[in-house]
């Protein structure tokens, strides 16, 4: 593996583009290169930059003054371009992979450099430039048949995967507690996991802060961290063993539930490891990709790292670039040890050490920080922190650094308010030289951003909150959640939250009195009848569909003549509107489903506020700022200490220790699991705290390196005690005890706390006088059918009961999806004119993609059914159906498109043929019962399409293969069915 260290602002993306062009010039086709980045935005940027580089080479022969084409090739460019323009109307598609493989086998010698770049320009849109999970998905789809994986699998959200895991956990816990029916060979009829649940529950008898079961919380935490290790093993103690025993069984049930069609990100990673251990699959990948370029490699997790190492073992060239100093995503299971392992074992390329982002003074401070931290082993080593020199236009900018430390005896919370006001004043002065949309304030927490919102409002400075705290935990979203909840059942804790919200607006004394009553809602009717009336209105609304109920809560003026949104500021209004639009896009089936979805999403750490629009100083956390830059960058609340939460379970991996990571060989080590309260937990927590402290130093580097021209850092010290990043600046002799400086390019200032000088926050404009827009209640009227629809959607079922969402033995389907699979195979065989007694034909059917989800024994069962249906079809030929040899025209699987009304009807006609001067339109059915009437609308559209295009009126017949029966449908019946459907089409 080739490894390159690239510090912040040194042009990682540019280096990747140059590497792309270098590979193209050496004869490697673009389709053989995979570019892998950390985010979709970065992947899109890389695709655009590679495209610009290829275009520059085709225009001038070079990129960034580096030549890639010889002079004779450059002379051909204008001729080729004019030739391309003249034939653009008959453009040739890019080279097919079969022919491309022949060219690749020749090492590119059969294709000139010019042709390679021209080909790359055509292939750019389809090139593999994606995220790590996107690349894994592309690889899995490529080799899915080797893994018995459905190539058309869907990607499931991680929060949805957790919900499934929690459901399986609840089911298994219930089974373990149920002793009414023996479920194992245990003589007492006790579930095999019942003892483990008792051990785990006894070890974690204390509930968590949110009231949830501590044992279940530990299992869910283990599930969330499964990307840290492919396998887990317990440390000492029966409680750790019990934890893993339960987890493995729940996880097994969860995997069965997902099947081969649903893959959340962490399961994509695990399937990717299974893939690279399959020799046929790995060989196919090596044919498809010759080089993989990975950006931001410091942010990969151990499972992802094992995947890339396995690719390298298959002689796929892996080239990674990253910056260990910017590894800050430990909470997402990223592990800088993966990069360090590659750095220790791989081929280390020259570092990127020319920064084009920072001014002179900012870069000088960054170099001082990195060298001092590396010397002390704070966050990164000397190998990972090369000195960086200024380059490009920024090398001529002097810039400025300002450090402002606040001192006082007051509590740290009060000092932070004063610190925010100090920073706001500095930004106001800088706003005379820099536009506010070129400024940003970074904080370690969202609480710090709240202080900055108040301070900037005091100074009259506009700001935009680019990413606030968890969106689904915002107070306005939770208000709506609790309002819906009390509409279903007015019980604690939602009732208490609702009584304090704008919907009721009661004070704490009244709320306490109501909650102490035997019948809180009855007491509410007596004490506050107007509030009780609102509760009754909400109860009535939740009986409707969820979207209408949510619209009522947000927009209906039932709170003393006001709407809920009138009690909100701009930030909250935008969040509430976004919630309504989100729910309307994917309407839940019931209020309960909506509440469950909101509850699950509230646990999703990455769900941030809707970004505000407009110009202003950007407010965001350091994690959200990674990859961005501003002319003026302020780091607020540098005195905040690193928070070390008490985790319910800790997974310690080999890569947490650098020396162990360097020595580690082969696959990743097993994650050692330590449950809170076990003997090994304290040691594991000490490792985790050390890891978080190390990441804190890297987080400071990321924050400081976002600055271009001006960097401002503020922090507070209460009663002479320092913590957090302020302590780090103390070690650099630039902290709270340093001598003040006051130069144009460097300021170090001390501020004594004085609460009396802070002006009050201006009142919030709640827009109470605003009138809603005239079009706010207008609705789009939907047509009866979408713009493109299939005639098969018109099937009219005569069933009296609702079809179950799973296989139903009463419906004759023992295996899930068996009916659809048999129908697909039979239709395909009839299209190909295959015989049931031909071993080759039947073997080809068994190898079709739709058979992958089934076991060999299940496939035998399905193939027997397919053979029977095919035999029935061939027995009809020459009897109820014309022989194949007697047909003058024969069109199997004929595609049709029929514009009628506002819809284009698209479908496939099973067979359209002419025999003895009579045209036939046939549709083959594998139904258990013969019920022709449900297919009349579908056949009517097929018939109309044939009549319009072919100008013939075919004989329409349904062939029920299982009943071995042909049913002819009269033209008059089909005309009536079409007329009835057209009436619906013309009725909105």
């Amino acid at each position: 593996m080739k490894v390159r260290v690239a510090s912040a602002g040194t042009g990682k993306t540019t280096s990747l583009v140059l590497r792309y062009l270098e590979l193209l010039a050496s004869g490697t086709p673009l389709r053989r290169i995979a570019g892998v980045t950390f985010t979709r935005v970065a992947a899109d940027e890389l695709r655009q930059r590679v495209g610009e580089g290829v275009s520059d080479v085709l225009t001038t022969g070079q990129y960034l003054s580096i030549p890639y084409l010889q002079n004779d090739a450059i002379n051909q460019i204008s001729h080729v371009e004019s030739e391309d323009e003249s034939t653009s109307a008959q453009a040739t598609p890019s080279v097919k992979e079969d022919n491309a493989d022949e060219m690749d086998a020749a090492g590119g010698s059969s294709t000139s450099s010019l042709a390679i770049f021209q080909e790359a320009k055509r292939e750019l849109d389809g090139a593999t430039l994606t995220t790590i999970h996107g690349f894994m998905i592309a690889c899995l789809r490529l080799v899915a048949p080797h893994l018995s994986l459905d190539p058309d699998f869907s990607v499931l959200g991680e929060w949805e995967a957790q919900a499934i895991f929690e459901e399986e956990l609840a089911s298994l816990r219930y089974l373990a507690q149920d002793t009414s029916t023996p479920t194992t060979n245990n003589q007492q009829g006790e579930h095999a996991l019942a003892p483990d649940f008792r051990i785990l529950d006894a070890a974690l008898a204390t509930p968590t802060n949110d009231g949830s079961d501590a044992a279940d919380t530990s299992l869910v935490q283990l599930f969330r961290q499964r990307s840290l290790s492919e396998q887990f093993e317990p440390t000492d103690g029966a409680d750790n063993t019990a934890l893993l025993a339960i987890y493995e069984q729940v996880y097994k049930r969860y995997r069965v539930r997902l099947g081969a069609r649903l893959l959340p990100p962490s399961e994509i990673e695990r399937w990717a490891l299974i893939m690279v251990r399959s020799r046929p699959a790995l060989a196919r990948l090596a044919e498809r990709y010759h080089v993989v370029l990975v950006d931001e490699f410091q942010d990969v997790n151990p499972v992802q790292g094992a995947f890339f190492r396995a690719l390298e073992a298959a002689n796929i060239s892996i080239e990674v670039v990253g910056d260990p100093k910017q590894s800050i995503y430990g909470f997402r299971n990223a592990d800088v040890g993966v990069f360090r392992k590659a750095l220790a074992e791989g081929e280390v390329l020259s570092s990127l050490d020319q920064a084009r982002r920072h001014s002179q003074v900012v870069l000088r401070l960054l170099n001082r920080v990195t060298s001092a931290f590396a010397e002390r082993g704070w966050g990164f080593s000397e190998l990972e922190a090369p000195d960086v020199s200024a380059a490009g236009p920024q090398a001529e900018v002097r810039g400025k650094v300002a450090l402002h430390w606040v001192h006082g005896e007051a509590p740290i919370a009060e000092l932070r308010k004063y610190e925010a006001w100090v920073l706001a004043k500095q930004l106001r002065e800088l706003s005379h030289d820099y536009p506010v949309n070129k400024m940003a304030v970074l904080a370690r927490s969202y609480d710090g951003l709240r202080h900055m919102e108040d301070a900037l409002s005091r100074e009259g400075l506009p700001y935009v909150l680019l990413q606030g705290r968890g969106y689904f935990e915002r107070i306005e979203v939770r208000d709506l959640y609790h309002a819906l909840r009390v509409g279903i059942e007015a019980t604690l804790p939602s009732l208490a939250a609702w009584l304090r919200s704008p919907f009721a607006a009661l004070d704490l004394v009244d709320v306490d009195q109501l909650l102490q009553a035997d019948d809180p809602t009855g007491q509410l009717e007596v004490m506050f009848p107007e509030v009780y009336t609102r509760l009754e209105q909400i109860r009535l609304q939740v009986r409707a569909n969820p979207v209408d109920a949510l619209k009522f809560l947000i927009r209906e003026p039932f709170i003393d003549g006001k709407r809920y949104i009138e009690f909100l500021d701009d930030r909250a209004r935008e969040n509430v509107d976004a919630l309504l639009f989100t729910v309307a896009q994917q309407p839940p089936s019931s209020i309960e489903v909506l509440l469950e979805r909101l509850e699950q999403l509230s646990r999703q750490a990455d769900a941030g506020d809707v970004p505000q629009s407009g110009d202003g100083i950007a407010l965001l956390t350091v994690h959200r700022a990674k990859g961005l830059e501003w002319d003026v960058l302020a780091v607020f609340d540098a005195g905040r200490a690193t928070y070390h939460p008490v985790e319910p379970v800790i997974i310690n991996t080999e890569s947490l220790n650098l020396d162990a990571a360097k020595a580690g060989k082969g696959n990743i080590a097993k994650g050692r699991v330590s449950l809170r309260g076990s003997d090994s937990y304290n040691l594991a927590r000490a490792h985790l705290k050390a890891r978080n402290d190390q990441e804190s130093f890297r987080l400071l580097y990321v924050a400081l390196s976002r600055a271009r021209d001006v960097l401002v850092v503020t922090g507070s010290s209460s009663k002479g005690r320092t913590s957090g990043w302020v302590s780090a600046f103390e070690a650099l002799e630039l902290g709270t005890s340093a001598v003040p400086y006051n130069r144009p390019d460097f300021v170090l200032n001390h501020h004594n706390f004085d609460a009396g000088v802070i002006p009050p926050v201006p009142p919030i404009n709640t827009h109470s006088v605003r009138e809603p827009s005239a079009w706010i209640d207008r609705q789009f009227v939907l047509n009866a059918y979408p713009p493109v629809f299939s005639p098969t959607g018109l099937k009219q079922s005569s069933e009296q009961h609702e079809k179950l969402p799973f296989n139903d033995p009463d419906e004759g389907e023992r295996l899930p999806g068996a009916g659809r699979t048999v129908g697909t195979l039979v239709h395909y065989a009839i299209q190909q004119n295959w015989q049931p007694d031909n071993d080759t034909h039947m073997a080809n059917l068994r190898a079709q993609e739709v058979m992958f989800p089934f076991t060999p024994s299940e496939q035998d069962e399905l193939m027997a059914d397919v053979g029977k249906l095919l035999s029935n079809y061939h027995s009809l030929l020459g009897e109820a159906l014309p022989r194949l040899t007697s047909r003058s025209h024969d069109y199997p699987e004929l595609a049709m498109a029929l514009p009628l009304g506002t819809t284009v009807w698209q479908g496939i006609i099973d067979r359209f043929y002419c025999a003895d001067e009579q045209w036939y339109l046939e549709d083959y059915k594998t139904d258990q019962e013969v019920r022709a009437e449900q297919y009349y609308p579908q056949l009517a559209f097929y018939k109309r399409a044939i009549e319009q295009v072919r100008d013939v009126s075919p004989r329409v017949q349904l062939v029920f293969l299982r009943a071995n029966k042909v049913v002819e449908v009269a033209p008059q019946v089909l005309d009536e069915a079409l007329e009835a459907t057209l009436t619906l089409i013309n009725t909105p």
Side-chain angles (χ1 to χ4, degrees):
M1 187 177 293
K2 297 180 180 179
V3 188
R4 189 188 304 275
V5 175
S7 298
T10 55
K12 290 197 301 294
T13 303
T14 300
S15 71
L16 287 171
V17 173
L18 293 174
R19 183 60 180 139
Y20 260 97
L21 300 180
E22 182 181 349
L23 289 169
L24 291 172
S26 67
T28 303
L30 183 61
R31 62 185 169 275
R32 301 297 177 218
I33 308 170
V36 183
T37 66
F38 196 63
T39 66
R40 294 187 185 93
V41 174
D44 292 340
E45 180 187 1
L46 181 58
R47 186 184 303 276
Q48 179 182 352
R49 294 278 297 277
V50 170
E52 292 171 353
V54 170
S55 296
D56 284 356
V57 171
L58 288 174
T59 303
T60 65
Q62 58 183 359
Y63 179 72
L64 297 180
S65 302
I66 302 176
Y68 291 96
L69 294 178
Q70 302 297 327
N71 291 333
D72 57 342
I74 298 174
N75 294 332
Q76 299 177 39
I77 291 176
S78 59
H79 172 71
V80 172
E81 287 181 343
S82 61
E83 199 173 72
D84 287 344
E85 292 175 0
S86 66
T87 61
S88 60
Q90 301 177 359
T92 303
S94 57
V95 179
K96 292 184 178 179
E97 195 160 309
D98 292 343
N99 297 331
D101 289 339
E102 297 178 4
M103 178 179 62
D104 293 344
S109 58
S110 63
T111 305
S112 67
S113 295
L114 174 60
I116 283 285
F117 279 97
Q118 290 173 326
E119 187 175 71
K121 185 175 182 179
R122 294 193 299 267
E123 293 179 344
L124 182 64
D125 289 341
T128 303
L129 283 151
T130 182
T131 63
I132 292 177
H133 287 126
F135 177 58
M136 289 178 169
I137 290 170
C139 293
L140 287 172
R141 295 196 194 282
L142 186 67
V143 301
H146 295 290
L147 309 176
S148 296
L149 182 66
D150 188 339
D152 195 30
F153 63 82
S154 299
V155 179
L156 195 69
E158 194 63 38
W159 70 270
E160 295 177 278
Q162 180 179 323
I164 295 174
F165 180 87
E166 290 176 350
E167 288 178 4
E168 293 301 328
L169 171 59
S171 298
L172 196 58
R173 177 179 281 278
Y174 174 80
L175 292 175
Q177 294 172 345
D178 181 15
T179 59
S180 60
T181 304
T183 55
T184 68
N185 293 328
N186 190 307
Q187 294 180 355
Q188 298 177 352
E190 188 178 64
H191 194 281
L193 289 178
D196 294 309
F197 272 108
R198 286 197 294 270
I199 293 173
L200 191 61
D201 290 340
L204 298 173
T206 305
T208 60
N209 292 333
D210 61 0
S212 58
D213 183 86
D216 290 356
T217 300
S218 300
L219 290 160
V220 172
Q221 179 72 6
L222 188 58
F223 175 79
R224 289 176 178 173
Q225 295 182 292
R226 63 197 188 281
S227 290
L228 281 177
S229 180
E230 185 184 2
Q231 297 179 357
F232 297 131
E233 63 181 9
T235 52
D236 58 288
D239 45 2
N240 289 315
T241 302
L243 175 75
L244 274 184
I246 297 171
Y247 174 81
E248 288 171 357
Q249 289 302 312
V250 177
Y251 188 71
K252 181 179 179 180
R253 293 165 62 99
Y254 155 84
R255 287 291 298 267
V256 171
R257 176 100 167 259
L258 293 183
R261 291 189 58 86
L262 294 175
L263 299 186
S266 292
E267 262 49 66
I268 288 172
E269 296 169 357
R270 277 170 153 64
W271 273 102
L273 285 185
I274 295 173
M275 170 179 62
V276 295
R277 290 169 186 156
S278 166
R279 288 187 178 182
L282 201 55
R284 179 69 184 99
L285 294 180
E287 292 175 355
R288 178 65 175 84
Y289 298 109
H290 297 171
V291 182
V292 179
L293 306 178
V294 188
D295 191 14
E296 305 286 4
F297 196 68
Q298 79 279 350
D299 291 327
V300 303
N301 63 49
V303 175
Q304 293 168 347
F307 165 72
F308 287 114
R309 288 196 299 272
L311 291 182
E312 182 190 27
N315 295 322
I316 299 175
S317 177
I318 307 295
E319 303 180 18
V320 304
V321 60
D323 185 7
K325 300 187 297 299
Q326 299 188 67
S327 179
I328 60 172
Y329 291 116
F331 66 94
R332 291 180 180 170
N333 299 323
D335 191 344
V336 69
V338 177
F339 187 97
R340 288 172 174 166
K341 183 178 179 67
L343 201 62
E345 299 177 355
E347 177 186 349
V348 181
L349 305 177
S350 58
S351 302
L352 300 179
D353 56 8
Q354 290 190 332
R356 290 169 169 79
R357 174 184 298 167
H358 312 299
S359 61
Q360 298 172 14
V361 180
V362 171
L363 185 60
R364 185 183 302 173
L365 176 68
L366 279 174
N367 279 332
R368 182 171 178 178
V369 168
T370 55
S371 61
F373 283 15
E375 182 180 345
R376 293 168 172 80
W378 288 356
F380 39 82
S381 66
E382 294 183 3
L383 178 63
E384 299 162 354
D387 278 342
V388 177
S389 59
Q394 282 296 96
E396 307 301 322
V397 178
R398 182 64 180 171
K400 181 179 181 179
V401 170
L403 308 177
H404 294 272
W405 310 126
V406 173
H407 308 262
E409 297 298 313
I412 192 67
E414 294 298 318
L415 296 183
R416 286 192 182 114
K417 295 179 182 178
Y418 186 81
E419 176 191 336
W421 178 64
V422 169
L423 177 54
K425 289 197 303 180
Q426 301 300 315
L427 295 176
R428 185 180 60 182
E429 293 179 8
L430 289 167
S431 66
H432 299 308
D433 300 319
Y434 294 91
V436 292
N437 61 357
K438 298 293 184 181
M439 299 181 180
V441 178
L442 307 184
R444 294 187 69 171
S445 72
Y446 294 119
D447 182 64
L449 295 178
R450 179 177 58 81
H451 287 305
M452 282 309 305
E453 287 186 89
D454 292 342
L456 294 173
S457 298
R458 289 187 179 99
E459 294 300 316
L461 290 172
Y463 64 88
V464 288
L465 189 65
L466 293 188
Q467 197 74 29
R469 64 176 176 167
Y471 170 74
F472 293 97
E473 291 182 339
R474 290 282 296 195
I475 187 64
E476 58 274 11
V477 177
R478 297 306 288 176
D479 277 349
L480 296 170
Y481 170 86
H482 292 303
L484 292 170
R485 178 67 70 184
V486 298
I488 298 175
E489 186 177 11
T491 56
L492 288 171
S494 289
L495 177 60
W498 182 80
L499 291 173
R500 288 288 293 156
S501 73
F503 292 106
L506 301 183
D507 58 36
L508 287 173
V509 175
D510 292 330
V511 171
D512 182 64
Q513 183 178 351
L514 288 169
L515 297 181
Q516 294 296 330
D518 294 334
D519 181 10
T521 56
Q523 188 68 18
L524 178 67
E525 184 178 12
V526 174
M527 294 177 59
F528 304 99
E530 70 284 358
V531 176
Y532 180 80
T533 300
R534 292 174 211 158
L535 178 59
E536 287 297 301
Q537 289 178 287
I538 295 175
R539 284 173 169 171
L540 181 63
Q541 289 298 320
V542 296
R543 299 173 188 173
N545 68 71
V547 176
D548 288 341
L550 199 56
K551 285 169 62 178
F552 173 83
L553 292 175
I554 295 172
R555 296 178 175 176
E556 189 68 24
F558 75 108
I559 311 173
D560 286 338
K562 291 185 177 181
R563 297 171 295 159
Y564 174 70
I565 56 175
E566 295 180 34
F567 295 89
L568 308 178
D569 59 17
D570 287 339
R571 168 81 283 175
R573 288 167 64 99
E574 290 168 355
N575 286 331
V576 167
D577 285 341
L579 175 65
L580 183 55
F581 284 123
T582 300
V583 174
Q585 285 178 342
Q586 292 182 323
S589 58
S590 66
I591 291 290
E592 289 80 2
V593 172
L594 172 59
L595 290 171
E596 179 66 20
R597 183 190 299 178
L598 292 176
E599 187 63 27
Q600 292 291 340
L601 291 173
S602 69
R603 308 175 194 175
Q604 187 179 357
D606 290 343
D609 281 3
V610 178
Q612 287 182 324
S613 59
D615 284 340
I617 299 172
L619 303 180
L620 64 167
T621 63
V622 180
H623 284 101
R624 300 294 182 183
K626 189 169 181 291
L628 305 176
E629 60 185 52
W630 290 269
D631 290 352
V632 176
L633 191 283
V635 179
F636 172 70
D637 196 14
R640 182 177 291 271
T642 302
Y643 176 55
H644 297 290
V646 179
E647 301 288 352
V649 62
I650 296 175
I651 303 171
N652 198 358
T653 64
E654 185 181 16
S655 57
L656 293 178
N657 181 274
L658 178 59
D659 295 333
K662 289 181 179 179
K665 302 293 182 181
N667 294 330
I668 60 176
K670 293 181 179 180
R672 294 180 58 79
V673 177
S674 298
L675 189 66
R676 189 178 75 237
S678 63
D679 295 337
S680 61
Y681 182 81
N682 289 336
L683 179 60
R685 188 162 190 262
H687 277 290
L688 182 61
K689 290 176 68 175
R691 173 185 176 181
N692 290 342
D693 287 336
Q694 292 289 304
E695 187 168 290
S696 175
F697 291 118
R698 298 194 292 268
L699 193 66
L700 174 58
Y701 171 79
V702 171
L704 300 178
S705 61
R706 302 307 97 196
R708 289 179 55 82
D709 296 354
V710 179
L711 173 64
V712 183
V713 182
T714 66
S716 299
S717 170
S718 177
K719 300 178 182 180
R721 295 190 297 268
T722 62
S723 59
W725 295 338
V726 172
S727 298
F729 277 97
E730 286 288 339
L732 301 178
E733 299 181 351
L734 295 173
T736 56
S737 59
V739 177
Y741 287 84
N742 191 6
R743 300 192 330 219
D745 59 352
F746 184 80
V747 173
L748 195 158
N749 208 345
H750 299 276
H751 305 266
N752 293 320
F753 172 71
D754 185 358
V757 302
I758 304 177
V761 179
I764 296 175
N765 179 12
T766 59
H767 309 286
S768 58
V769 298
R770 289 188 179 181
E771 293 295 330
S773 300
W775 43 262
I776 194 70
D777 293 322
R778 292 185 182 178
Q779 297 180 347
F780 290 99
V781 178
L782 298 177
N783 296 312
Y785 299 102
V788 179
F789 198 59
S790 171
T792 57
L794 297 172
K795 176 183 175 182
Q796 298 175 348
S797 175
S798 59
E799 299 173 355
Q800 298 302 314
H801 61 276
E802 183 179 355
K803 179 72 174 180
L804 294 174
F806 46 83
N807 59 304
D808 182 2
D810 292 337
E811 298 292 332
E813 185 177 273
R814 189 183 67 81
L815 298 175
R820 183 185 298 271
T821 300
V822 169
T824 300
L825 295 178
V826 169
H827 279 75
Y828 185 66
I830 293 176
Q831 174 196 351
Q832 299 294 323
N833 296 327
W834 283 354
Q835 304 290 331
D837 54 354
N838 187 304
D839 293 340
T840 301
H841 292 170
M842 299 303 286
N844 285 338
L845 286 177
R846 181 187 287 269
Q848 297 302 307
E849 178 183 309
V850 294
M851 293 288 274
F852 295 161
F854 299 98
T855 64
S857 60
E858 292 171 343
Q859 290 181 7
D860 292 340
E861 181 180 338
L862 295 175
M863 288 304 300
D865 196 21
V866 170
K868 175 183 177 182
L869 295 176
L870 279 181
S871 297
N872 288 348
Y873 168 73
H874 283 280
S875 69
L876 292 172
L877 295 177
E879 298 293 335
L881 300 176
R883 296 183 183 276
L884 298 177
T885 54
S886 67
R887 304 177 185 184
S888 57
H889 298 81
D890 196 354
Y891 304 101
E893 298 291 315
L894 181 64
M896 58 79 65
L898 178 65
L900 277 181
T902 59
T903 300
V904 175
W905 301 84
Q906 290 187 349
I908 300 293
I909 299 173
D910 287 350
R911 200 107 182 189
F912 177 62
Y913 60 89
C914 182
D916 298 327
E917 299 185 356
Q918 172 63 54
W919 286 93
Y920 293 84
L921 189 159
E922 287 178 356
D923 206 57
Y924 306 113
K925 301 300 177 186
T926 58
D927 298 5
Q928 297 286 341
E929 301 176 8
V930 177
R931 291 185 294 176
E933 63 278 0
Q934 60 184 325
Y935 298 106
Y936 290 168
Q938 171 187 347
L939 295 174
F941 277 89
Y942 293 161
K943 176 175 174 289
R944 174 62 63 89
I946 290 295
E947 289 173 343
Q948 289 192 1
V949 175
R950 289 282 180 168
D951 196 24
V952 297
S953 184
R955 185 174 173 179
V956 180
Q957 47 196 27
L958 287 162
V959 182
F960 289 92
L961 298 173
R962 202 171 296 279
N964 209 18
K965 182 177 182 181
V966 178
V967 177
E968 183 176 353
V969 184
Q972 181 181 356
V973 172
L974 295 178
D975 292 341
E976 292 173 354
L978 182 61
E979 188 65 30
T981 306
L982 290 177
T983 301
L984 289 176
I985 294 175
N986 297 322
T987 304

